[in-house]
Amino acid sequence: MNKLSIIKIGGNIIDNPTELEQFLTDFSKIEGHKVLVHGGGKSATKMAQSIGLVPQMIDGRRITDAPMLDVVVMIYAGEINKNVVAQLQANGTNAVGFSGADGNLILSTKRNHPTIDYGFVGDVQKVNTPLLETLLNSGITPVFCAITHDGQGQLLNTNADTIASELAIALSHVFEVTLTYCFEKPGVLYDADDDSSVIEQINHQLYTKLKAEKAIHSGMIPKLDNCFNSLSKGVQKIKIGHHRMLQNASVIHTSIEL
């Protein structure tokens, strides 16, 4: 079974041109099949504020009304995605940018929450694995933004960590998948203010304990929930940490296991 690397980069890398350039250089050196998934960074928030919209967040997740959807599509699928693709081409990686609507690659449904109206936010239902497999085997590196669709003409803002996780699960049927979450920290930390407190290995038992102790909280919980869901559904390996680990195996990071 061919190996496949799925890398998700967080917004703080996108917001820092120097970090982004270094990340894309490192990403381009990864051998074999690879997929990149990117979040949106602060650009969408800045753009929204510049035209008088007030961004709303609940539990770290963006409320996406119709005007905000216009902004995130423009920034995620447009500005950020195309700049990343152009920089990858400059690094010799034949990248193609995608939203979930392109080629019907990621189909979602609008989130139906009992008490919160998230607006135009999508929950992934299906990944077009055969088309992705064809693209990868043709030497294409897909670059996904955090936008999917519902098959009825509606675009949906969709959590990038979840997109990476769902792609990894779907593609683990045809590839040996390593899923890597790259962000500005060196890994999952015991103490969020101490970068030297990396938890180098987390299994489900330890995760449950750390959540109960509130050592792991807020935005890290949905990220790790996604990780354990992916592992339980066939993804071989998951790593979380700074993008330096992509080209240097000795860089300390967090490995997730069941």
Side-chain angles (χ1 to χ4, degrees):
M1 199 180 265
N2 285 330
K3 288 182 163 54
L4 169 66
S5 302
I6 297 180
I7 318 285
K8 187 264 171 175
I9 51 167
N12 286 353
I13 296 175
I14 286 162
D15 290 329
N16 183 328
T18 309
E19 284 281 309
L20 180 60
E21 186 180 355
Q22 185 58 57
F23 166 79
L24 293 172
T25 301
D26 292 345
F27 177 82
S28 292
K29 290 175 185 167
I30 296 170
E31 293 183 0
H33 300 306
K34 54 198 172 191
V35 174
L36 180 58
V37 180
H38 63 78
K42 299 187 180 79
S43 308
T45 302
K46 278 188 202 151
M47 174 63 78
Q49 289 168 337
S50 76
I51 57 173
L53 299 177
V54 180
Q56 287 178 278
M57 307 285 279
I58 294 181
D59 297 333
R61 296 191 186 266
R62 191 187 293 275
I63 303 293
T64 309
D65 60 12
M68 183 57 78
L69 181 67
D70 288 344
V71 171
V72 296
V73 170
M74 182 167 57
I75 297 295
Y76 298 178
E79 182 189 14
I80 293 172
N81 191 266
K82 296 311 155 198
N83 278 315
V84 166
V85 168
Q87 287 184 61
L88 286 173
Q89 294 291 354
N91 277 297
T93 292
N94 192 12
V96 179
F98 294 104
S99 72
D102 297 293
N104 195 26
L105 282 166
I106 307 174
L107 192 65
S108 294
T109 52
K110 185 171 178 287
R111 178 168 301 162
N112 183 7
H113 191 279
T115 57
I116 301 164
D117 181 4
Y118 282 97
F120 295 102
V121 167
D123 291 318
V124 175
Q125 299 300 312
K126 192 175 181 192
V127 171
N128 186 344
T129 309
L131 178 53
L132 268 174
E133 188 182 3
T134 300
L135 290 165
L136 289 161
N137 287 331
S138 302
I140 298 291
T141 295
V143 178
F144 280 94
C145 67
I147 302 291
T148 61
H149 77 133
D150 68 354
Q152 308 295 314
Q154 180 63 59
L155 294 171
L156 295 165
N157 186 12
T158 305
N159 181 274
D161 284 350
T162 305
I163 287 176
S165 168
E166 293 291 345
L167 288 170
I169 291 165
L171 288 162
S172 68
H173 298 293
V174 284
F175 295 101
E176 185 183 317
V177 176
T178 298
L179 173 58
T180 304
Y181 288 102
C182 290
F183 66 150
E184 73 283 0
K185 296 288 187 181
V188 182
L189 306 175
Y190 278 113
D191 175 354
D193 298 319
D194 179 5
D195 280 3
S196 68
S197 66
V198 176
I199 308 166
E200 292 189 39
Q201 284 192 312
I202 299 179
N203 59 23
H204 205 277
Q205 189 178 357
L206 178 59
Y207 175 48
T208 305
K209 178 172 174 281
L210 291 169
K211 267 199 301 190
E213 293 169 356
K214 300 279 193 290
I216 289 177
H217 54 84
S218 58
M220 192 51 74
I221 289 176
K223 192 183 286 283
L224 287 170
D225 284 345
N226 273 328
C227 290
F228 286 110
N229 181 49
S230 303
L231 289 169
S232 71
K233 292 178 176 173
V235 176
Q236 273 77 16
K237 274 192 275 190
I238 302 185
K239 298 184 283 189
I240 297 177
H242 194 274
H243 64 78
R244 282 189 297 265
M245 68 179 166
L246 295 180
Q247 288 304 317
N248 184 349
S250 65
V251 169
I252 288 173
H253 61 272
T254 301
S255 293
I256 314 290
E257 54 199 42
L258 286 173

